[in-house]
Amino acid sequence: MSASRPVPRPGVLDIEAYVPGRSGAPGAAKVFKLSSNETPLGPSPQAVAAVKALAEHMELYPDGAATRLRDAIAARYGLDPARIVCGSGSDELLSLITNAFLGPGDEGLFTEHGFLVYRIAILAAGGKPVVAPEKNHTADVDALLARVSPRTKIVYLANPNNPTGTYLPFEEVKRLHAGLPPQVLLVLDAAYAEYVRRNDYAAGLELVATSDNVVMTRTFSKIYGLAGLRLGWMVGPAAVIDAINRIRGPFNVNAPAIAAGVAAIADEAHVAAAIAHNDEWLPWLTREIEALGLKVTPSVGNFLLVHFPTEAGRSAKEADAFLVSRGLVLRRVEAYGLPNALRLTIGTEEANRLVVAALEDFLGARHA
Ligand SMILES: Cc1ncc(COP(=O)(O)O)c(C=O)c1O
């Protein structure tokens, strides 16, 4: 039977569109956006200058190969620039990888509270999302391996994961890889790698370099403060990179983004400052919020998952409304299967202190 109007491919209408973190808090005098894991330090001043300089030349197409940027990334990480592709955010790269390697009837595997874009990318490609349970809000290698089937094409692992902030030690990532059939692509999404301060963590470049079925995605949106420009990159085996280059848009990364990325990667002091800020405030917020009696999932990223009681008056939903009334915009995470939690991005000192004070008032008001 023919339809009376154009019908999207199977899977498309099963997609719950991604809802980004809110930025507004109606009525609040000053708004602190703590909902999208953006850096409170802003971009490198050198990246800002590079974008301003580019503004004079917006009539020109960018370099479709983003050569300067790939060279800068390659030099920074000791990689072969030919193995790097840049994208309009790592979101675009996740979609490109999925479209290139997974089609109708294929399965894409990720974890219970894994980053939502994986599900969207799999469904958009006509595939089937398969979800592995987590343990203590952490990816579970055995559970992932148990769900690999002959139809599995891609396994996505955010390490650290958003929104939980938890991570897998590199030994566990290697164990996951060792358990996968060689035709399954392992995508290591290391959007928050720069923040991690654990000896047993590695983003996994070594695994990418020594395997034919591992890629890594990275972003300039978090520690580099360029989320608004949309810039990410991936590194992988030559055959994977070749496939991505065949299907990406010819000018998928814009000229200001390329220029800003080159400048940002050179400004190591700015990155160091962002790491130092996180090293100070991540433990501080964890301690202070736990001292209020709330459970906080131990995080190695630039954000925290805060769990609330389910009882009326103390719930995550009510806490969110209370915080928003004070201009503190956190992220609701029910779409991640976490209806009783809020995700909090590490902010400026001012924002961090205001969040703790507001949570104290929220919980205290209940006792009064
Ligand atoms: C785990 C993870 N991966 C990828 C992304 C996408 O980042 P972008 O598209 O801005 O590079 C995010 C952003 O929140 C993330 O949390």
Side-chain angles (χ1 to χ4, degrees), residues 30-267:
K30 187 170 175 186
V31 177
F32 297 88
K33 183 170 183 253
L34 306 167
S35 58
S36 298
N37 300 343
E38 296 143 334
T39 174
L41 273 61
S44 155
Q46 291 164 38
V48 175
V51 170
K52 283 187 178 155
L54 239 299
E56 304 287 336
H57 300 287
M58 284 191 289
E59 77 283 8
L60 300 176
Y61 278 97
D63 167 18
T67 306
R68 282 176 63 218
L69 179 57
R70 286 189 301 113
D71 286 349
I73 295 166
R76 165 71 181 74
Y77 290 98
L79 302 170
D80 175 357
R83 298 290 182 84
I84 295 171
V85 185
C86 297
S88 178
S90 47
D91 281 348
E92 186 199 19
L93 296 167
L94 291 166
S95 292
L96 289 171
I97 294 165
T98 308
N99 277 321
F101 288 92
L102 183 151
D106 293 335
E107 295 176 359
L109 178 56
F110 54 94
T111 69
E112 191 180 351
H113 305 298
F115 185 45
L116 272 181
V117 163
Y118 311 147
R119 173 185 293 279
I120 294 173
I122 295 164
L123 287 169
K128 181 179 165 209
V130 179
V131 179
E134 298 184 359
K135 262 193 198 147
N136 296 326
H137 296 110
T138 307
D140 176 349
V141 169
D142 296 309
L144 278 163
L145 290 176
R147 280 157 186 81
V148 173
S149 86
R151 286 191 299 273
T152 307
K153 288 287 160 58
I154 305 180
V155 177
Y156 305 81
L157 180 74
N159 200 28
N161 184 50
N162 167 25
T164 53
T166 56
Y167 77 106
L168 279 188
F170 192 40
E171 286 305 316
E172 280 292 277
V173 177
K174 285 197 275 196
R175 193 164 73 81
L176 172 63
H177 174 249
L180 293 177
Q183 73 277 13
V184 173
L185 184 64
L186 175 60
V187 177
L188 300 175
D189 174 352
Y192 301 95
E194 295 85 354
Y195 290 105
V196 185
R197 313 290 264 174
R198 293 289 186 280
N199 290 335
D200 60 357
Y201 174 82
L205 287 171
E206 172 195 322
L207 199 57
V208 176
T210 54
S211 321
D212 290 331
N213 65 336
V214 184
V215 298
M216 175 181 297
T217 57
R218 304 288 288 252
T219 184
F220 281 89
S221 298
K222 308 300 175 183
I223 206 151
Y224 290 104
L226 302 181
L229 277 181
R230 311 305 301 126
L231 185 60
W233 58 278
M234 65 174 284
V235 57
V240 176
I241 296 303
D242 174 57
I244 302 300
N245 274 326
R246 286 170 195 261
I247 65 167
R248 73 177 171 85
F251 305 104
N252 61 327
V253 179
N254 67 69
I258 293 171
V262 171
I265 217 162
D267 191 350

Side-chain angles (χ1 to χ4, degrees), residues 25-32 320-329 354-362:
K30 187 170 175 186
V31 177
F32 297 88
D320 184 50
F322 186 89
L323 291 163
V324 167
S325 73
R326 295 199 176 184
L328 300 163
V329 185
L354 285 172
V355 166
V356 171
L359 285 173
E360 192 170 358
D361 288 349
F362 171 69

